[in-house]
Amino acid sequence: MTDEHTDAQLDARLRAADPLPDLPPLAPERLDQLLEDTVTSTAAPTRRPRALLLAAAAAAVVAVGGGALALTDRDGGTTTLALAAPDVSASCAALTPELLAESDVAFAGRVTAVSGGVVVLETVQRFAGEVGDTVEVTQGDGSVVDGAPITFEQGQVYLLSADGGTIGSCSGSGPDSPELRALFDQAFGG
Amino acid sequence: MEEFESVARAVVEPVRRYLRRRTDPATADDALGEVLLVLWRRAADVPADPVPWAIGVARLCLANAERSRRRQHRLACRIGPGDPVPDPAEDVAGALDDAARLRAALTTLTDADAELLRLSAWDGLSHGQLAQLLGTTPNAVAIRLHRARGRLRQALERRDPEPDRTGRGRGRA
């Protein structure tokens, strides 16, 4: 059985299972249009000002590898979150206030204790959702652990957002900074 | 500007195919637009081989889209129970062909294992490209792939103990 299933054979079977073996490429005109739209959309007046774009980029960088925070439990005054595996990519789409505003939970917390893979934060500001007075973040299981997860430091304030108990790498969490705070203010109406 | 164009043209098909393999055409189109926008804004960050980088961006755009979708789904759950929507492409009258069997086995693996196998076999990323995407070394990728294949084999045997005849199995049962 295993002899039959050499790696090459398994790969061939996998390739045969490609759900999309023959997607025709984009028509050249369609591609030209797409590229033109991309370049012109950033110049359109509805776009955010450049300073905010930079802020968004900074926030996105902060969030890179931040992984997923899983909201596992809420018990009285304590909200428990798990810091799951970071995303496998070190690239990130620019974070927008609109994206951030979709978070179920957003808050600012100061790290009061870090021990045994558990980070305890004291909630200093609530932006969205129900957040306890203290929040516990635990390191979750990760199968692919790549990129740098958020490193929590004692005494430091972090802006954290979670959606449905999960925060992806691009959903805006990181150390408190004017840039990230501006995004939070904009997303959650200050 | 010309640089963006040449990079965009180099990545657009791999990214488009990556997205279309994983989501519906409309979501894929939206995500492709977002990826190009990121590419345009962050031209300075694009590495020498832009394909893994762009696929990395596409992964995140897709994750964001899926999160919105889950949110809508949760909302729907609050409003009332809905029937799970069966995937019409799979398991027609129990007649799973080998491709469907493989895809079903993939879903039983961890996301990380399954995605690594898909990225390798479907998206055709080399070990070097996977290493760039995953922020690791080609050796580590080779090891992970080896393990993921092992787990896929186990999953296939669990689900389908009878030996597969041809290894391709496009036949209708």
Side-chain angles (χ1 to χ4, degrees):
Chain A
M1 185 72 193
T2 42
D3 283 346
E4 189 198 10
H5 290 260
T6 63
D7 283 359
Q9 275 177 318
L10 190 64
D11 282 351
R13 288 178 71 189
L14 267 170
R15 278 195 298 277
D18 185 345
L20 194 77
D22 43 19
L23 179 74
L26 277 175
E29 321 79 76
R30 177 83 185 83
L31 178 56
D32 289 343
Q33 187 63 50
L34 196 58
L35 297 187
E36 199 188 313
D37 289 350
T38 302
V39 174
T40 50
S41 70
T42 48
T46 51
R47 304 305 304 180
R48 285 168 291 137
R50 177 152 181 81
L52 196 58
L53 278 179
L54 288 173
V61 167
V62 163
V64 160
L69 286 168
L71 186 65
T72 53
D73 188 23
R74 175 147 196 266
D75 178 21
T78 303
T79 300
T80 309
L81 301 164
L83 188 61
D87 202 287
V88 295
S89 169
S91 319
C92 199
L95 178 68
T96 63
E98 293 76 28
L99 256 176
L100 194 57
E102 294 178 356
S103 308
D104 291 342
V105 171
F107 66 101
R110 179 181 286 104
V111 176
T112 55
V114 183
S115 71
V118 179
V119 182
V120 181
L121 298 107
E122 157 200 20
T123 303
V124 295
Q125 189 179 354
R126 292 174 178 83
F127 290 92
E130 287 187 22
V131 185
D133 292 338
T134 55
V135 178
E136 283 186 8
V137 178
T138 53
Q139 182 69 49
D141 299 329
S143 32
V144 170
V145 180
D146 293 297
I150 300 175
T151 309
F152 288 97
E153 284 176 36
Q154 179 79 30
Q156 166 87 42
V157 174
Y158 293 83
L159 293 169
L160 300 168
S161 61
D163 172 49
T166 320
I167 175 174
S169 304
C170 282
S171 292
S173 289
D176 193 1
S177 66
E179 292 82 9
L180 191 54
R181 190 163 275 275
L183 275 170
F184 268 61
D185 284 342
Q186 196 166 345
F188 304 107
Chain B
M1 176 70 196
E2 290 94 54
E3 205 181 341
F4 162 74
E5 268 218 47
S6 74
V7 169
R9 285 178 192 281
V11 304
V12 72
E13 285 303 327
V15 167
R16 191 167 151 260
R17 298 172 68 83
Y18 167 87
L19 290 166
R20 285 289 293 271
R21 285 187 175 103
R22 287 160 180 84
T23 190
D24 61 275
T27 308
D29 280 354
D30 289 350
L32 180 61
E34 284 176 46
V35 171
L36 290 175
L37 215 52
V38 172
L39 216 61
W40 166 240
R41 283 187 192 137
R42 295 183 55 188
D45 299 334
V46 179
D49 182 354
V51 172
W53 190 89
I55 285 184
V57 175
R59 282 174 68 90
L60 294 169
C61 291
L62 200 55
N64 283 336
E66 294 298 329
R67 253 199 306 283
S68 309
R69 206 199 305 276
R70 280 202 302 276
R71 186 175 313 103
Q72 284 163 3
H73 179 69
R74 282 201 305 278
L75 185 63
C77 289
R78 266 177 234 150
I79 292 167
D83 294 325
V85 182
D87 183 344
E90 306 284 1
D91 198 0
V92 179
L96 285 168
D97 66 6
D98 191 57
R101 196 174 293 135
L102 258 289
R103 289 196 288 268
L106 276 176
T107 63
T108 67
L109 303 184
T110 64
D111 287 348
D113 277 350
E115 189 59 5
L116 190 63
L117 290 168
R118 290 188 201 108
L119 285 165
S120 167
W122 295 356
D123 299 297
L125 295 190
S126 67
H127 287 188
Q129 288 178 318
L130 286 167
Q132 187 186 322
L133 174 64
L134 304 178
T136 181
T137 64
N139 276 340
V141 166
I143 291 167
R144 278 185 202 169
L145 266 174
H146 178 72
R147 291 183 186 147
R149 282 195 198 96
R151 287 189 277 261
L152 177 62
R153 266 187 212 107
Q154 286 169 9
L156 283 166
E157 284 168 27
R158 259 199 316 276
R159 297 176 65 88
D160 180 27
E162 284 165 47
D164 184 70
R165 295 155 304 278
T166 63
R168 297 213 69 154
R170 276 250 146 222
R172 347 242 125 220

